[in-house]
Amino acid sequence: WEKRHTIKVLLFLCRRRYPTVEARAEAFNGSTHVAVPSDSDFLKALLFELRLTDDQSFVEHRDTCTRIDHSSVRSVRVEGGDLWPVVAFQKSGLIYACLPLVEETLEPRPPLLTVRGLSQGLALLFGIVDYLSPSRKNEAELNAKIGQLRNLLIQACPLGTPLNTNISSLNSSFDDIQVVPTDEKQPVWRSNTYKGKPQVNVCITEKVKCMQYDKRDVVDMWQVYGAVNCKCDIEGAAPNVTLTLNLPTNGSPLQDIVVHHCVTSIDPAMLMSSSVDPLDDSVYSGPYKFPFIPPSDSFNLCYYTSQVPVPPILGCYQLVEEGSQLKLTVNLKLHESIKNSFEYCEARIPFFNRGPIAHLEYKVSYGQLDLSREKSLLVWVIGQKFPKSSEVSLAGTVTFGAAGEEHPTDYVCTGNTAYVKMYFRIPDFTLTGCYVDQHSVQIFTPGKPKITASRELISSDYYIWNSKASAPIMYKSLYY
């Protein structure tokens, strides 16, 4: 109830409707248009779609196994029909949602990549997430920020089109709202002009998600999610910048590319490269050129996914019960194609639905093993490099004391169903091989700009399941 109550407060205090956009939607969608219901009816329908109501009975259109959610874009059933596309996701106990404008009829439904409002809506929601997230543990501060959001949304999205998705950079006071630029050449997303030496900072961040089972009858899964963040300090009302992403000859093609609305043109082949159909021959291998007029603040130029041939770290986890003890072995191997230079690398081994660890005997071939203060988690610190063999191992036995309320529980990880979760960051490396050639960045403005490019690979939901017990085929965090 506490979580649902928080969700209701956020939706009702931060809701904002745009009658002009709703009128445009009716004009574009024609007979396929579904009117947006009242706030209370929309909230009720959204919670039902997200399975957050008390009624947990089976509903075919929502719960059928033939329907698999590949993204945060949903169809919400209301009295007048199905509202689509509704962008909705959960983060730290809150729901963030918006209904982007589709500038065409809705039957048949157009491909997501052709709906321009999706990337704008996601960028705006991510800006709200970044604005609220630092205050999640302080209820008073969170409530104060929620109270300011309505004023901030008036600045960020005054007429239904996001002008500035960096909510944290806005001022909550109406006295300091910036006026629309008077220079006709200056786009509305450039809230001010820069004065000084031109410089461009680009950072490619790739996150790799992975599920490894070490079983013949279950296929391991992994995928890369990338984002290209830019900060362009350039003089002029509407500076033109062209940035190119490159791949090495053996690099994995970028797919499912979604671009920021400031991008002025793009090769259609880039947008057609999709991971939905693995047999599709429309894969585009680059180079990926993005001409754009940058906003004043930091922004994500594009997002992408990629199907890489192997995960960076291959693992095997075995956990068996022998009398009153648990016997565990963990083997990890760094793939030969991966840069062996980590900022950090560790494997965390949680024990759910059990008491505190009373006795531990172990042997590690490399690194060190620590026991958490709550005595329910083993942290294997591998460090900044794997050994020359690229392989490390851990073996040990664990016994537990009496269980208490303070120890972690999990309804999925019962019995010997358990996992090892990897945490690592590799600087100056991407799993796809994607990089920015500093010399290829073109800026059509006087002066020689300073170009800074960096990249990184970070683990995200990287699980290695116990091969001696049953494991779910797909395990997702409730909040992502």
Side-chain angles (χ1 to χ4, degrees), residues 397-409:
T397 56
V398 183
T399 56
F400 301 89
E405 294 182 357
E406 69 277 7
H407 292 281
T409 59

Side-chain angles (χ1 to χ4, degrees), residues 143-277:
N143 291 334
K145 283 195 171 184
I146 290 176
Q148 296 170 353
L149 253 183
R150 186 168 180 81
N151 291 349
L152 296 175
L153 287 176
I154 293 176
Q155 304 173 58
C157 194
L159 298 176
T161 300
L163 306 183
N164 187 351
T165 57
N166 188 356
I167 307 298
S168 301
S169 68
L170 300 175
N171 194 302
S172 60
S173 171
F174 276 108
D175 298 334
D176 294 327
I177 294 179
Q178 297 182 10
V179 297
V180 176
T182 56
D183 192 329
E184 295 181 357
K185 295 182 179 180
Q186 183 170 340
V188 290
W189 58 81
R190 281 186 65 82
S191 56
N192 53 63
T193 56
Y194 172 78
K195 298 294 183 182
K197 185 177 181 180
Q199 53 185 351
V200 175
N201 294 301
V202 184
C203 179
I204 303 174
T205 298
E206 288 189 352
K207 294 184 178 181
V208 54
K209 291 188 176 184
C210 188
M211 297 284 166
Q212 297 184 39
Y213 304 97
D214 192 34
K215 292 185 176 183
R216 291 184 178 180
D217 57 339
V218 182
V219 179
D220 295 343
M221 298 178 293
W222 60 89
Q223 191 168 34
V224 173
Y225 301 82
V228 181
N229 184 266
C230 299
K231 180 67 168 69
C232 303
D233 295 324
I234 306 171
E235 291 186 354
N240 289 292
V241 180
T242 297
L243 185 145
T244 303
L245 301 180
N246 298 285
L247 293 175
T249 54
N250 60 344
S252 300
L254 309 186
Q255 298 173 308
D256 305 322
I257 299 174
V258 178
V259 301
H260 192 275
H261 57 79
C262 71
V263 176
T264 55
S265 64
I266 196 167
D267 189 334
M270 292 169 53
L271 299 180
M272 295 301 295
S273 181
S274 172
S275 62
V276 175
D277 185 358

Side-chain angles (χ1 to χ4, degrees), residues 202-373:
V202 184
C203 179
I204 303 174
T205 298
E206 288 189 352
K207 294 184 178 181
V208 54
K209 291 188 176 184
C210 188
M211 297 284 166
Q212 297 184 39
Y213 304 97
D214 192 34
K215 292 185 176 183
R216 291 184 178 180
D217 57 339
V218 182
V219 179
D220 295 343
M221 298 178 293
W222 60 89
Q223 191 168 34
V224 173
Y225 301 82
V228 181
N229 184 266
C230 299
K231 180 67 168 69
C232 303
D233 295 324
I234 306 171
E235 291 186 354
N240 289 292
V241 180
T242 297
L243 185 145
T244 303
L245 301 180
N246 298 285
L247 293 175
T249 54
N250 60 344
S252 300
L254 309 186
Q255 298 173 308
D256 305 322
I257 299 174
V258 178
V259 301
H260 192 275
H261 57 79
C262 71
V263 176
T264 55
S265 64
I266 196 167
D267 189 334
M270 292 169 53
L271 299 180
M272 295 301 295
S273 181
S274 172
S275 62
V276 175
D277 185 358
L279 300 179
D280 190 0
D281 59 357
S282 64
V283 175
Y284 182 78
S285 299
Y288 307 86
K289 289 190 176 183
F290 300 89
F292 59 96
I293 300 176
S296 305
D297 301 301
S298 175
F299 70 103
N300 285 327
L301 178 66
C302 69
Y303 301 92
Y304 61 85
T305 67
S306 183
Q307 297 286 350
V308 295
V310 292
I313 297 176
L314 297 170
C316 174
Y317 178 34
Q318 295 184 347
L319 181 70
V320 294
E321 196 164 354
E322 295 184 354
S324 60
Q325 293 182 333
L326 285 179
K327 184 177 180 180
L328 65 95
T329 58
V330 183
N331 296 298
L332 303 175
K333 181 178 181 180
L334 181 69
H335 193 269
E336 58 185 10
S337 64
I338 306 304
K339 180 182 179 182
N340 190 10
S341 179
F342 295 79
E343 180 179 307
Y344 57 85
C345 182
E346 63 183 39
R348 298 183 184 181
I349 311 171
F351 295 96
F352 297 104
N353 312 308
R354 305 177 187 271
I357 295 177
H359 184 69
L360 170 65
E361 293 184 2
Y362 68 92
K363 180 180 179 180
V364 292
S365 65
Y366 193 79
Q368 66 180 46
L369 188 68
D370 298 325
L371 178 62
S372 68
R373 181 179 301 178

Side-chain angles (χ1 to χ4, degrees), residues 123-139:
L124 183 63
L125 292 180
F126 288 151
I128 296 175
V129 171
D130 292 339
Y131 171 71
L132 293 178
S133 292
S135 307
R136 285 295 298 124
K137 296 182 180 180
N138 188 323
E139 185 174 354

